[in-house]
């Protein structure tokens, strides 16, 4: 009989990297893309889900019928739903209007119960409203349990133990910079703890959304799910990361669409953001020589958002996206993909 721990650890499968050749201003750079779409439900949040649930199970076993609730922009919900279904537990996903329709359909198909909020939190998103809904559900149902991806140390710990070592191995001794999107900050904090502990001088770069408070000074509207937050990350203490970029939605979407046009590889919005941040540094006076971009998920989920011209027009992003792409193409930006490998 398969144990609960074996079921939960089944999410920790390891993911490949691919080599992206980037042409910029007449020079070609190599950038490793760590493709977390290779996880069981297609994103890095499978790792987070496993870590959170293992911690919950250690506190009190996740017996059949246990109800778990979590606020999610989508991907963590998919990871939790898959694992909890295998444990015969119930899952309630607290979602907001930015959750892609494809993610909603997948959550419903997995047996998750969808609890929607639609009131903006006044800080450019819905996170604080989702958290209020979670707390209300817990108050009204004392038996419900919360994984709490925002404050649970199991979030960064699972990335310190799995994602970080994989990046160090796959990047090799020449690795000099790693770009990671920020939302809760757990992935960044965990990977950074491992890489900084190696003493190899690898720069860890936080990539945030413009208008996010995760690393930024002021809140503003944001439409890309999986990156940015309406409050400071509790996991990001001074020294966690070495540098930060805040990428506007239009620039991130332009990178997603350009990479797909040139290579056929579809990236999710946060993955487009990390590639955009890396590209900024590649064009700087002291560019990284062997960078790696942690790509949290692929583009399939976003067919009706980031890759849909109607969605761009409705959300007034068409012009900003086109301008960003035009500027990058004028600088000679082209992409060529080799891999996946390693």
């Amino acid at each position: 009989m398969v144990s609960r721990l074996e079921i939960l650890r089944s999410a920790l499968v390891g993911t490949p990297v691919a080599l992206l050749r980037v042409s910029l201003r007449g020079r070609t750079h190599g950038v490793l893309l760590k493709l977390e779409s290779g996880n069981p439900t297609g994103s890095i949040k499978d790792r987070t889900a496993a870590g959170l649930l293992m911690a919950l199970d250690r506190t009190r076993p996740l017996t059949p019928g246990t109800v778990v609730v979590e606020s999610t922009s989508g991907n963590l919900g998919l990871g939790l739903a898959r694992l909890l279904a295998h444990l015969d537990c119930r899952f309630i996903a607290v979602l907001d209007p930015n959750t892609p329709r494809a993610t909603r359909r997948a959550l419903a198909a997995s047996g998750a119960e969808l609890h929607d909020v639609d009131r903006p939190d006044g800080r450019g998103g819905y996170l604080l409203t989702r958290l209020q809904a979670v707390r209300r559900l817990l108050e009204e149902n004392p038996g419900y349990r919360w994984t709490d991806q925002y404050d649970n140390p199991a979030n960064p710990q699972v990335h310190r133990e799995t994602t970080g070592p994989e990046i160090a191995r796959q990047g090799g001794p020449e690795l000099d910079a790693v770009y990671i999107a920020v939302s809760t900050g757990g992935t960044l904090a965990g990977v950074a703890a491992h890489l900084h502990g190696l003493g190899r001088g690898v720069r860890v770069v936080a990539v945030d959304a413009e208008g996010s408070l995760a690393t930024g000074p002021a809140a503003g509207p944001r439409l890309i799910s999986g990156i940015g937050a309406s409050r400071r990350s509790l996991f990001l203490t001074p020294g966690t990361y070495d540098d930060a970029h805040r990428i506007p939605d239009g620039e991130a979407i332009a990178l997603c669409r350009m990479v797909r046009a040139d290579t056929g590889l579809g990236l999710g919005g946060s993955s487009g953001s990390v590639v955009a941040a890396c590209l900024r540094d590649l064009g700087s006076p002291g560019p990284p020589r062997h960078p790696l971009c942690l790509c949290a998920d692929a583009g399939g989920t976003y067919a009706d958002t980031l890759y849909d011209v109607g969605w761009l027009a409705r959300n007034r992003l068409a012009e900003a996206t086109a301008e960003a792409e035009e500027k990058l193409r004028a600088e000679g930006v082209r992409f060529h993909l080799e891999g996946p490998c390693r």
Side-chain angles (χ1 to χ4, degrees):
M1 183 176 179
V2 180
S3 69
R4 293 191 307 274
L5 181 60
E6 289 173 316
I7 290 172
L8 296 174
R9 292 194 64 83
S10 71
L12 305 175
V13 298
T15 54
V17 298
L19 178 61
L20 185 70
R21 297 289 185 187
V22 180
S23 298
L24 171 65
R25 300 172 189 165
R27 296 185 60 187
T28 299
H29 307 264
V31 178
L32 291 177
L33 304 182
K34 184 159 177 59
L35 302 175
E36 291 297 295
S37 56
N39 284 298
T41 68
S43 89
I44 195 168
K45 292 296 188 175
D46 281 301
R47 300 176 190 255
T48 307
L52 293 171
L53 290 175
M54 284 190 284
L56 211 62
D57 188 65
R58 284 194 297 270
T59 302
R60 188 168 77 250
L62 291 165
T63 55
T66 299
V67 180
V68 175
V69 60
E70 182 59 282
S71 154
T72 173
S73 59
N75 284 335
L76 179 64
L78 292 173
L80 291 171
R82 170 184 174 272
L83 292 171
L84 289 167
H86 285 306
L87 295 173
D88 294 322
C89 296
R90 290 172 54 201
F91 175 54
I92 300 175
V94 179
L95 308 171
D96 65 53
N98 287 339
T99 304
R101 288 199 297 268
T103 301
R104 289 175 174 276
R105 291 193 293 267
L107 282 167
S110 71
E113 301 170 36
L114 310 187
H115 183 99
D116 281 290
V117 304
D118 58 10
R119 179 172 55 85
D121 61 14
R123 296 187 179 182
Y126 296 87
L127 172 58
L128 302 184
T129 309
R130 293 203 318 256
L131 290 174
Q132 288 174 357
V134 168
R135 295 187 180 100
R136 186 166 57 251
L137 286 168
L138 295 172
E139 290 170 1
E140 295 172 353
N141 303 274
Y144 286 8
R145 304 181 68 185
W146 181 24
T147 39
D148 191 7
Q149 62 167 319
Y150 309 95
D151 196 24
N152 189 335
N155 181 346
Q157 186 63 29
V158 73
H159 294 289
R160 183 172 188 168
E161 295 174 352
T162 66
T163 320
E166 284 178 38
I167 287 173
R169 175 178 58 81
Q170 293 169 321
E174 296 180 323
L175 180 70
D176 60 354
V178 175
Y179 295 78
I180 303 173
V182 176
S183 181
T184 67
T187 302
L188 174 65
V191 172
H194 179 80
L195 294 179
H196 287 157
L198 297 176
R200 287 167 37 180
V202 179
R203 287 176 58 246
V204 177
V205 182
V207 182
D208 202 359
E210 189 175 84
S212 163
L213 288 173
T215 66
R222 307 175 306 279
L223 289 171
I224 296 178
S225 61
I227 185 171
S230 300
R231 67 177 198 177
R232 293 285 180 183
S233 167
L234 298 179
F235 301 124
L236 302 183
T237 56
T240 302
Y241 53 89
D242 302 292
D243 199 1
H245 286 284
R246 282 167 282 279
I247 307 296
D249 287 350
E251 185 178 347
I253 296 168
L255 261 296
C256 289
R257 298 171 73 90
M258 290 170 67
V259 169
R260 189 177 71 166
D262 289 359
T263 71
L265 176 66
L267 297 176
S270 68
S271 302
S273 296
V274 296
V275 174
C278 182
L279 198 59
R280 287 183 178 185
D281 284 353
L282 290 176
S284 70
R289 295 176 61 85
H290 299 282
L292 180 146
C293 290
L294 183 59
C295 295
D297 64 359
T301 302
Y302 308 97
D304 58 0
T305 56
L306 311 181
Y307 295 98
D308 181 72
V309 293
W311 183 87
L312 292 178
R314 288 191 300 275
N315 288 282
R316 301 180 180 180
L317 282 169
E319 184 176 350
T321 300
E323 288 177 354
E325 180 170 353
E326 182 179 2
K327 178 182 177 182
L328 292 167
R329 291 302 194 193
E331 294 181 332
V333 173
R334 296 291 186 278
F335 300 101
H336 175 74
L337 188 67
E338 299 177 11
C341 55
R342 284 189 271 182

